[in-house]
């Protein structure tokens, strides 16, 4: 299920503007990789190229290659819709579909593409996905209530359930806890720990403690100045990154001397 | 109010807490502006009230003498006079709505989600221009250009789909029938429905659309799962606006429809229907006082109908903004 991601010579553009330059990195399967760095350094932009969500912004595109399971998702003839079915995403703010019940939210991705599933299969999938997102016990009695009625943290876990219901290989998380209170954050972090048994997880976070708590490897993005492209400065085992980084910039950022 | 009154020692003026008075009274600009805006608001209310009062008072003779004959050859009671007109008015407006809404939603979605920006902007501008065309022009266009061109279509519908009550009957040229009137009305209400729907679709939260896309939704699936549910109430209220306009439209109907008085469902037949507004416009110039009272009564009915429609539209919008 979980797959490695191999990124080579990736340049990411917004129209003319080169936002992230020359990223080369291999992301291990069944692991959590955290991306940290100051605001505007391109870590979210990079994350969004891993499921081709970057290009939904008008004028945005990327060059280079991103290989998942040995196949370049930017190859010619690759349908971004299929890529996004294999690479799920969780956003900064919880975004369950407001008009749908909890159950329908979980099944939303599965029902796309006119797939028909039987009632019993759907029930099983709803339960396993919600259990996978540590939400089942809290919502099992109100699956037909709207998803917007949940608390922020529950909504975010509902979004995670929705993402894992389509059984992706990779899950991308773009600051998934930044809109949540500390207790909900803890719940999501615990969940991330469990999820890495099955998925390759890449998480962008502003919170360095969070990166050190949840990730196996950490990548540091930095930017030389406004209008300059962001770079992946260093990526290594999380423990090493936070204790003994190779690069001076990483050390400065982590020890709080800048950024 | 009661809390502020309790806080102040002067119990005489309960509705005027001194703090607020002191704050607003000091600035003459504020006074003038609030006076002007309150005045304008009252003026609207007053105008509406006066119109309602006028319609009611002037139609009283017709209501009181509802059994009386108007002196016309086809003497009928007030109810028999008004009911077919109401039927024709609502029927034509609903038909127009049925034709216009799907097209308007399609155009709005095209502009908001499919068209490249270079095309979307001029297209939106053109739709707005369509709203600025005077209804007389639509009437001319409908009567002179559209009527002969719709004839083959009507004959085809009548021949092959004649088993559907709508297309049954015996259409005859020139096709100045309810169907043509509805088509013209549909074109006229298209811009307002399109413009409002487009605005609503453009307000779909980006995050919601990205949620669908990130699940592997195609563009159409994104529209179906996110944009349309989000915009549904907006489309409903836009349709109500269109319906209101179609109900009250005078000139175009007058110039396209050859009038009649019946409850016929056969929209292809000529001389079977008329609308309240067109009837008033065509009859009022040479009306006897008796007939005038009846015309004013039909006007009152139209006033009430559009009022109710608008109230429903408001309720729908209010409910959607709450949830």
């Amino acid at each position: 299920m979980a797959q490695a991601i191999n990124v080579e010579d990736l340049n990411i553009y917004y129209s003319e503007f080169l936002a992230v330059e020359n990223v080369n990195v291999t992301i291990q399967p069944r692991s959590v990789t955290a991306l940290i760095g100051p605001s505007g350094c391109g870590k979210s932009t990079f994350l969004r190229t891993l499921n081709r969500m970057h290009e939904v912004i008008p004028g945005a595109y990327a060059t280079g290659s991103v290989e998942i399971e040995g196949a370049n998702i930017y190859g010619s003839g690759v349908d971004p819709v299929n890529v996004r079915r294999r690479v799920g995403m969780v956003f900064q703010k919880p975004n369950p579909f407001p008009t749908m019940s909890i159950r329908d939210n979980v099944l939303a991705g599965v029902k796309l593409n006119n797939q028909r599933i039987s009632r019993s299969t759907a029930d099983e999938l709803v339960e396993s996905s919600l259990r996978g997102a540590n939400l089942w016990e809290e919502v099992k009695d109100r699956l037909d209530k709207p998803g917007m009625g949940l608390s922020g943290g529950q909504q975010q876990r509902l979004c995670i359930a929705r993402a894992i219901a389509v059984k992706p290989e990779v899950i991308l998380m773009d600051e998934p806890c930044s809109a949540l209170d500390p207790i909900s954050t803890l719940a999501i972090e615990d969940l991330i720990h469990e999820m890495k048994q099955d998925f390759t997880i890449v998480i962008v976070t502003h919170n360095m403690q969070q990166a050190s708590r949840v990730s196996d490897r950490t990548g540091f993005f930095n930017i030389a100045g406004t209008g300059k492209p962001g770079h992946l400065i260093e990526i290594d085992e999380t423990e090493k990154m936070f204790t003994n980084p190779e690069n001076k910039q990483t050390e400065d950022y982590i020890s709080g001397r800048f950024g | 109010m009661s809390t502020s009154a309790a806080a102040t020692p002067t119990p005489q003026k309960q509705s005027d807490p001194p703090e607020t008075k002191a704050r607003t009274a000091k600035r003459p600009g504020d006074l003038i502006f609030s006076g002007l805006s309150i005045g304008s608001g009252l003026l609207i209310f007053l105008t509406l009230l006066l119109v309602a009062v006028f319609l009611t008072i002037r139609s009283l003779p017709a209501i009181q003498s509802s059994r009386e004959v108007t002196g016309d050859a086809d003497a009928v009671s007030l109810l028999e006079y008004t009911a077919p007109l109401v039927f024709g008015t609502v029927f034509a407006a609903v038909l127009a709505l049925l034709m216009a809404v799907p097209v308007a939603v399609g155009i709005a979605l095209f502009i908001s989600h499919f068209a490249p920006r270079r095309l979307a902007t001029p297209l939106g501008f053109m739709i707005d221009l369509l709203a600025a065309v005077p209804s007389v022009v639509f009437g001319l266009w409908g009567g002179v250009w559209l009527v002969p061109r719709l004839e083959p279509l009507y004959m085809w519908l009548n021949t092959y789909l004649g088993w559907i009550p709508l297309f049954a009957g015996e259409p005859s040229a020139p096709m100045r029938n309810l169907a043509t009137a509805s088509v013209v009305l549909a074109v006229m209400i298209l811009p307002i429905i399109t413009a409002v729907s487009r605005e609503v679709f453009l307000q779909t939260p980006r995050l919601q659309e990205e949620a669908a896309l990130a699940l592997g939704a195609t563009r159409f699936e994104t529209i179906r799962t996110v944009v349309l549910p989000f915009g549904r109430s907006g489309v409903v209220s836009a349709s109500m606006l269109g319906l209101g306009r179609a109900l009250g439209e005078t000139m175009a109907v007058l110039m396209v429809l050859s009038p009649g008085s019946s409850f016929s469902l056969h929209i292809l037949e000529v001389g079977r229907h008329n609308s309240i507004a067109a009837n008033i416009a065509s009859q009022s110039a040479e009306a006897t006082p008796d007939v005038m009272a009846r015309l004013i009564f039909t006007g009152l009915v139209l006033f009430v109908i559009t009022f109710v429609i608008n109230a429903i539209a408001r309720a729908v919008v209010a409910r959607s903004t709450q949830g």
Side-chain angles (χ1 to χ4, degrees):
Chain A
M1 207 173 187
Q3 295 291 339
I5 308 171
N6 204 356
V7 180
E8 272 175 34
D9 303 329
L10 189 69
N11 290 306
I12 311 171
Y13 297 85
Y14 290 100
S15 299
E16 316 284 284
F17 175 63
L18 177 60
V20 180
E21 189 175 27
N22 199 24
V23 178
N24 288 281
V25 63
T26 298
I27 292 166
Q28 304 296 335
R30 291 196 177 76
S31 71
V32 179
T33 303
L35 303 176
I36 60 171
S39 293
C41 67
K43 54 196 188 306
S44 288
T45 301
F46 169 69
L47 190 78
R48 289 166 62 96
T49 56
L50 300 182
N51 66 345
R52 297 192 61 171
M53 278 298 284
H54 174 64
E55 67 206 50
V56 305
I57 298 161
Y61 65 100
T63 63
S65 86
V66 176
E67 286 183 2
I68 299 177
E69 209 180 350
N72 183 9
I73 63 170
Y74 283 93
S76 62
V78 174
D79 186 352
V81 165
N82 292 330
V83 172
R84 292 177 201 138
R85 289 189 180 158
R86 294 167 57 201
V87 184
M89 189 162 197
V90 177
F91 293 84
Q92 196 168 348
K93 277 194 208 149
N95 56 355
F97 296 122
T99 51
M100 292 186 193
S101 67
I102 293 171
R103 182 190 149 88
D104 288 344
N105 259 293
V106 176
L107 293 174
V110 187
K111 281 184 174 167
L112 291 172
N113 205 12
N114 291 324
Q115 288 170 5
R116 299 240 169 268
I117 51 169
S118 69
R119 172 105 202 160
S120 58
T121 322
D123 286 341
E124 280 169 30
L125 185 63
V126 169
E127 178 169 351
S128 66
S129 304
L130 286 171
R131 279 192 194 283
N134 280 343
L135 192 59
W136 175 251
E137 294 300 327
E138 293 160 61
V139 301
K140 63 181 175 186
D141 299 323
R142 45 173 172 156
L143 293 174
D144 292 324
K145 295 275 175 350
M148 296 301 277
L150 301 173
S151 75
Q154 288 173 327
Q155 283 185 23
Q156 193 62 300
R157 279 179 282 151
L158 178 60
C159 293
I160 292 173
R162 181 176 67 185
I164 63 182
V166 295
K167 302 195 165 53
E169 290 143 14
V170 179
I171 292 187
L172 310 175
M173 297 185 169
D174 189 358
E175 300 179 40
C177 303
S178 64
L180 304 181
D181 64 275
I183 291 172
S184 304
T185 300
L186 193 67
I188 303 266
E189 286 180 7
D190 289 345
L191 181 57
I192 293 171
H193 267 297
E194 292 167 24
M195 282 167 63
K196 73 173 178 186
Q197 317 289 331
D198 299 314
F199 305 99
T200 305
I201 297 173
V202 185
I203 175 172
V204 163
T205 177
H206 267 298
N207 182 330
M208 280 186 277
Q209 280 75 33
Q210 182 169 64
S212 68
R213 282 193 299 261
V214 300
S215 70
D216 304 301
R217 288 169 68 82
T218 298
F220 172 62
F221 276 81
N222 202 1
I223 185 170
T226 316
K228 302 257 176 59
H231 288 99
L232 177 61
I233 303 293
E234 185 177 0
I235 182 162
D236 212 326
E237 301 294 324
T238 298
E239 206 180 313
K240 182 161 186 297
M241 283 287 278
F242 281 98
T243 51
N244 186 24
E246 304 262 314
N247 193 294
K248 178 80 167 61
Q249 289 182 49
T250 315
E251 196 182 340
D252 285 353
Y253 183 73
I254 285 169
S255 55
R257 253 171 277 171
F258 109 100
Chain B
M1 259 181 211
S2 56
T3 50
S4 58
T8 51
T10 50
Q12 291 142 317
K13 281 196 171 184
Q14 286 197 327
S15 59
D16 252 345
E19 311 99 299
T20 39
K21 199 175 180 182
R23 208 185 305 148
T24 49
K26 269 181 186 169
R27 298 184 179 80
D30 280 353
L31 266 184
I32 294 168
F33 184 75
S34 77
L36 276 177
S37 54
I38 289 172
S40 317
L42 284 178
L43 195 68
I44 296 281
F45 181 72
L46 202 69
T47 312
L48 204 62
L49 196 72
L50 283 177
V51 169
V53 167
F54 159 80
L55 288 173
T56 313
I57 290 177
R58 294 294 296 275
S59 60
L60 270 179
I63 297 169
Q64 281 160 348
S65 60
S66 64
R67 282 267 151 225
E68 202 174 293
V69 172
T70 53
D72 217 45
D74 45 339
V76 287
S77 74
L78 182 67
L79 183 69
E80 285 168 323
Y81 182 78
T82 314
L85 285 173
V86 172
F87 174 78
T89 306
V90 175
F91 196 20
V94 169
L95 283 176
L97 205 59
L98 287 179
M99 285 185 265
V101 169
V103 179
V105 169
I107 299 174
L109 279 177
F110 179 72
I111 294 174
S112 66
H113 284 82
F114 284 96
R117 198 169 302 170
R118 254 175 311 157
L119 193 62
T121 316
L123 196 63
F125 183 63
M126 272 166 59
I127 293 288
D128 291 344
L129 268 186
L130 202 58
V133 176
S135 59
V136 169
V137 176
F138 277 113
L140 271 179
W141 169 76
V144 174
W145 190 89
L146 196 62
V147 164
R149 273 162 191 79
L150 284 174
E151 194 179 322
L153 174 70
Y154 289 161
M155 296 318 280
W156 186 90
L157 285 173
N158 184 245
T159 311
Y160 296 101
L161 296 174
W163 48 273
I164 301 171
L166 278 184
F167 305 130
E170 286 167 11
S172 58
M175 293 295 179
R176 299 183 161 273
N177 53 23
L178 194 74
T180 309
S182 304
V183 171
V184 175
L185 285 177
V187 175
M188 294 179 66
I189 64 177
L190 196 64
I192 180 80
I193 303 179
T194 306
V196 175
S197 303
R198 178 191 60 194
E199 287 308 311
V200 178
F201 292 151
L202 282 174
Q203 282 168 19
T204 311
R206 186 88 202 124
L207 207 61
Q208 298 294 339
E209 286 184 49
E210 293 202 338
L213 286 171
L215 281 173
T218 61
R219 193 139 54 162
F220 171 68
E221 285 166 338
T222 307
I223 286 170
R224 208 188 51 200
T225 48
V226 177
V227 180
L228 287 180
F230 176 82
R232 196 175 45 199
S233 66
V235 173
V236 169
S237 61
S239 308
M240 292 293 181
L241 282 175
L243 188 62
R245 182 163 185 207
L247 286 171
E249 177 49 43
T250 312
M251 225 38 223
V253 178
L254 186 68
M255 295 168 77
V256 166
L257 187 65
S258 109
S261 174
S262 78
F263 295 102
S264 172
L265 285 175
H266 304 167
I267 57 172
L268 300 182
E269 285 191 326
V270 178
R272 303 297 296 269
H273 308 93
N274 203 359
S275 81
I276 293 176
N279 185 57
I280 293 175
S282 64
Q283 303 289 314
S284 62
E286 328 170 324
T288 62
D290 277 354
V291 175
M292 198 52 167
R294 291 198 153 185
L295 290 178
I296 291 174
F297 176 75
T298 59
L300 178 65
V301 172
L302 184 61
F303 181 79
V304 171
I305 293 174
T306 46
F307 204 82
V308 168
I309 298 264
N310 269 304
I312 294 172
R314 298 242 157 204
V316 169
V317 173
R319 205 181 51 184
S320 71
T321 45
Q322 276 171 13

